[in-house]
Amino acid sequence: MDPIRNPYAPGAGQRPPELAGRDEQLRAFDVVLERVAKGRPERSLVLTGLRGVGKTVLLNMLRSAAVRKGWGTGKLEARPDQSLRRPLASALHQAVRELGHPEQDQVEHALGVIRGFVQRDAGPQARLREQWSPGIDAPVVRGRADSGDIEIDLVELLSDIGGLAADVGKGVGVFIDEMQDLGPDDVSALCASCHEISQSGLPLIVVGAGLPHLPAVLSASKSYSERLFSYQRIDRLTRDAADRALQAPAGEEDAEFDDEALEAMYAATGGYPYFIQAYGKAVWDHAPRTPITAADVELAAPEAERELAVGFFGSRYDRATPAERDYLRAMADAATDLGADADAVGSVATADVAAVLGKKPQSLSPARDALLKKGLIYSGERGRIAFTVPHFGRYLRRQA
Ligand SMILES: Nc1ncnc2c1ncn2[C@@H]1O[C@H](COP(=O)(O)OP(=O)(O)O)[C@@H](O)[C@H]1O
Ligand SMILES: [Mg+2]
């Protein structure tokens, strides 16, 4: 069918033509927004799940919901080995702009605090170029959020921004993607300041998204984090939602899938949103006419898999060194040895991986740690690991 009218959108963070199966999270977030704006205690949302389930897209939708309510919002993506100061400063700068506080001197003050906060990253000795803070021309405010202790600074900064929002009867939302990649000091400071802010009833929330072990990262940092955040597991779509994700956009273009085609699509994609978009796109391009049939799905599958091999799996696999690839393949083998379905999201014992490779577990720690850091695997419980990418085991076995 006409590729120009192809509605599907495979790609990280690509807004899907139909956001299926996320009504519950959207509704829950509306309640959070209302309550926080009224200064009532409320746990913020943290979205967790494997890669490709739609966390980034949902996080962006939550942000849009906040914007529609007149909130000031900002977003950042955490990166390993990067301090929170700079990206957070830009996100808050954006949020302050969106708030549209009518009194210029108060806005200037808040921006000046943000500048002091970010300059602290470079240290007082830093050259001018490093002190440059994008787009903020307000004079630096000294003695606020610039102590160098991230916890103190974050509490002061978020309190000031929250206060600015409270002044105008609005809220501020800070959206953090890939939250598991924040450094330990930043995580701990973030939890502490969210705790403080919620106690003072200021209308500011941090909304996060990250891999399945994010709750463990947060609670290892501060035991009370479970009471700060409401964890929402974002998972593959149910059959119903997956059908809707395909049918609704097709319907917009006066096309449809027949029943067997929908069944074949679910069998191939497992309901994982990224796979749904990739298959949807390939099948649309291959199908000669509507309705799309199971035969069309079968014909287009190799193309969809090729796309996924490059865009979804390959880009991650490429980041692994030879030793790390051996480790990944051993993980896939360990899963099959157990008789488990290696495509399932199951975890394997690190001891079993070592056994597959015929090595001592300790000697494999460097490979395992590097893979954890690269976000290819995660550890939800001690001594066990799992792929962060669904169907990764299957992809690896096909490689071999
Ligand atoms: N609820 C949904 N319904 C249909 N497609 C979705 C949904 N959520 C995400 N997608 C699609 O899935 C893909 C991955 O989404 P993304 O948000 O990048 O996942 P993650 O951040 O969890 O890795 C994108 O192509 C997106 O369009
Ligand atoms: Mg993402």
Side-chain angles (χ1 to χ4, degrees), residues 8-23 48-61 177-178 209-211 234-235 237 241-242 244-246 249 271-278 312 316 388 390:
Y8 302 102
Q14 285 284 339
R15 192 194 171 120
E18 166 84 9
L19 185 83
R22 304 295 183 230
D23 297 348
T48 67
L50 298 174
R51 302 206 180 272
V53 291
K55 300 177 300 296
T56 297
V57 157
L58 184 56
L59 193 67
N60 292 340
M61 297 299 265
D177 205 355
E178 304 290 352
L211 293 173
I234 306 304
D235 217 328
L237 301 180
R244 194 143 27 82
L246 290 164
Y272 285 105
Y274 200 112
F275 302 156
I276 291 175
Q277 299 299 329
F312 189 64
R316 303 212 152 77
T388 58

Side-chain angles (χ1 to χ4, degrees), residues 12-13 46-57 59-60 75-82 84 175-183 187 190 207-214 217-218 312 316 319 372-376 388-389:
V46 167
L47 315 173
T48 67
L50 298 174
R51 302 206 180 272
V53 291
K55 300 177 300 296
T56 297
V57 157
L59 193 67
N60 292 340
K75 190 184 156 189
L76 66 105
E77 185 180 311
R79 302 232 166 85
D81 303 322
Q82 186 191 48
L84 178 62
F175 297 80
I176 305 184
D177 205 355
E178 304 290 352
M179 195 169 175
Q180 76 282 341
D181 284 339
L182 288 176
V187 168
L190 200 64
V207 186
L211 293 173
H213 65 294
L214 176 56
V217 169
L218 295 176
F312 189 64
R316 303 212 152 77
R319 295 211 301 253
L372 286 166
K373 197 160 176 192
K374 289 178 183 172
L376 280 143
T388 58
V389 178

Side-chain angles (χ1 to χ4, degrees), residues 31 58 71 102 130 158 162 165 170 178 219 245 248 255 277 367 391:
V31 174
L58 184 56
W71 281 42
E130 287 162 0
L158 294 182
K170 293 178 178 174
E178 304 290 352
S219 62
Q277 299 299 329
H391 292 185

Side-chain angles (χ1 to χ4, degrees), residues 93-111:
H93 181 203
Q94 170 86 30
V96 167
R97 288 167 54 100
E98 283 181 13
L99 270 181
H101 194 289
E103 277 167 54
Q104 200 47 42
D105 52 333
Q106 298 214 30
V107 174
E108 290 247 317
H109 180 86
L111 293 178

